[in-house]
Amino acid sequence: MIAPVSPKTLELAISLLKAGELLGLPTETVYGLGADASNPEAVQKIFTAKGRPADHPLIVHIASKKALTNWAKDIPEAAYKLADAFWPGPLTLILKRSSLVPDIVTGGQDTVGLRVPSHPVALAVLEAFKGGIAAPSANRFGRISPTTARHVQEELGTNVQLILDGGACEVGLESTIVDLSTAKARVLRPGGISVEALSKVLGYEPELKTKTDIRASGTLDSHYAPQTPSLLVKEIPEGLSDAGVIARRPSPDKGLVWLELSNPATTYAQELYAALRQLDSLGLKQIYIEDVPDSADWLAVRDRLKRATFKETT
Ligand code: TXA
Ligand code: MG
């Protein structure tokens, strides 16, 4: 059930979480599928609903940085600096986990991902719940992340009793993930917080390490992918039929399903997943996405476009 946010539906959301049930909830990045992070049986339901392999760790959402010490230990100074600068907001910190974090949340790893989201509905739920909420993006494993409540319903159907409707997500792409569990910060996933902004706070440029030996589903080559074969191209070919196009300019040819997304990168990011989802629903033979600039401000968008169009070559 999709429900608008009201004191009544917030109360229902909290009672579902306390009862070990799932909750669809908006964040500023994408919608999450939440469960009580301290309840292993509740967290197991996330894996079942998503069809996600058990060794892929989840992000624990917390109400404020004050809760950091509940979930993490040996917290470096850099974590507090980044939290002060970017929380609430689209930044996930990977830290050494505390003994409170159930194994199922971290896929057995000795680190945990933590984030304070800035969406007012997510914050209201976290403040009222008074605990951590484990929440991956509310899509089936490997599919496009949802940026509206309706997308969550399409992805998960009756597997989630309540989806709080917080409107379309403002960022539209998943959070930036920064690993602080080793001496030097590393960016595991580019996102809403740029590497440049991170560098200013850290005092050095973190290494970009989007492919790691750490099991992170957002770091698989193919992820965030439509089911329709999709290609990233320098130029949209002539004479297409039965194809959809995503480009940053209006259609020269009215015969095609052509979705025009807007500059700058932040606006394009807001619109991208809904556009991919729309084209994917049309049963087209092919989706063509016109390449985006090579500059730093487009890094997170480029990362998602590469994954959405990745093909196994072997
Ligand atoms: O914006 C977001 O981060 C959204 C919203 C709902 O908060 N969440 C999200 O969750 O994108 P998910 O599970 O779809 O992606 C989280 C990524 C995964 O690639 C996961 O493997 C990685 O974070 N991750 C979580 N804990 C980790 C850890 N301890 N070490 C390395 N990667 C971790
Ligand atoms: Mg995801």
Side-chain angles (χ1 to χ4, degrees):
M1 174 183 80
I2 297 178
V5 179
S6 70
K8 226 175 123 196
T9 54
L10 270 179
E11 202 177 300
L12 175 61
I14 304 307
S15 61
L16 284 171
L17 289 172
K18 290 206 166 130
E21 298 298 333
L22 300 180
L23 171 71
L25 88 165
T27 84
E28 75 280 21
T29 58
V30 300
Y31 273 70
L33 180 64
D36 178 353
S38 66
N39 178 344
E41 277 140 51
V43 175
Q44 176 56 48
K45 291 181 186 167
I46 294 176
F47 288 90
T48 309
K50 278 186 64 102
R52 176 163 166 146
D55 61 357
H56 286 250
L58 304 176
I59 294 171
V60 176
H61 297 71
I62 53 180
S64 80
K65 74 169 185 216
K66 278 186 256 156
L68 266 174
T69 47
N70 293 342
W71 302 95
K73 62 173 189 188
D74 306 336
I75 302 168
E77 195 47 42
Y80 289 106
K81 280 195 197 163
L82 291 176
D84 284 337
F86 303 114
W87 279 357
L91 177 69
T92 296
L93 300 178
I94 307 294
L95 296 166
K96 298 234 170 69
R97 73 192 254 203
S98 79
S99 55
L100 201 99
V101 186
D103 273 342
I104 188 166
V105 170
T106 68
Q109 299 187 58
D110 59 2
T111 56
V112 63
L114 295 166
R115 169 165 119 79
V116 179
S118 66
H119 195 293
V121 174
L123 279 176
V125 171
L126 282 163
E127 271 155 23
F129 180 58
K130 299 193 191 341
I133 299 178
S137 51
N139 50 280
R140 295 199 49 83
F141 181 64
R143 304 262 302 123
I144 304 163
S145 297
T147 52
T148 68
R150 188 149 299 283
H151 295 166
V152 179
Q153 183 138 62
E154 283 166 21
E155 286 288 325
L156 300 169
T158 54
N159 282 331
V160 52
Q161 283 182 45
L162 177 66
I163 304 162
L164 289 177
D165 191 347
C169 299
E170 202 182 311
V171 177
L173 299 182
E174 302 79 358
S175 60
T176 302
I177 302 181
V178 177
D179 184 357
L180 291 176
S181 68
T182 52
K184 285 251 152 171
R186 300 180 305 170
V187 175
L188 302 187
R189 182 175 72 182
I193 304 291
S194 71
V195 175
E196 195 194 356
L198 294 170
S199 306
K200 278 201 188 127
V201 175
L202 288 168
Y204 62 90
E205 188 173 331
E207 187 190 349
L208 194 59
K209 199 160 191 298
T210 59
K211 264 198 184 176
T212 63
D213 47 359
I214 298 167
R215 292 161 300 213
S217 54
T219 66
L220 295 176
D221 287 330
S222 169
H223 203 68
Y224 315 109
Q227 276 154 347
T228 314
S230 302
L231 282 174
L232 190 58
V233 293
K234 289 264 170 263
E235 255 172 67
I236 304 300
E238 301 279 311
L240 293 176
S241 66
D242 224 7
V245 173
I246 292 178
R248 290 174 301 131
R249 55 194 171 82
S251 168
D253 164 6
K254 299 280 177 268
L256 281 175
V257 189
W258 185 294
L259 300 183
E260 183 187 351
L261 301 195
S262 330
N263 293 316
T266 47
T267 310
Y268 187 103
Q270 274 172 356
E271 299 167 347
L272 176 63
Y273 285 162
L276 281 174
R277 195 174 278 277
Q278 185 185 338
L279 290 181
D280 205 22
S281 72
L282 298 176
L284 299 162
K285 259 207 320 254
Q286 186 87 51
I287 295 172
Y288 291 89
I289 306 170
E290 198 169 66
D291 217 352
V292 296
D294 210 13
S295 49
D297 46 334
W298 287 88
L299 178 69
V301 166
R302 275 203 314 280
D303 172 79
R304 303 310 190 278
L305 291 181
K306 280 194 192 130
R307 293 178 206 286
T309 56
F310 180 81
K311 284 234 166 33
E312 294 287 346
T313 47
T314 51

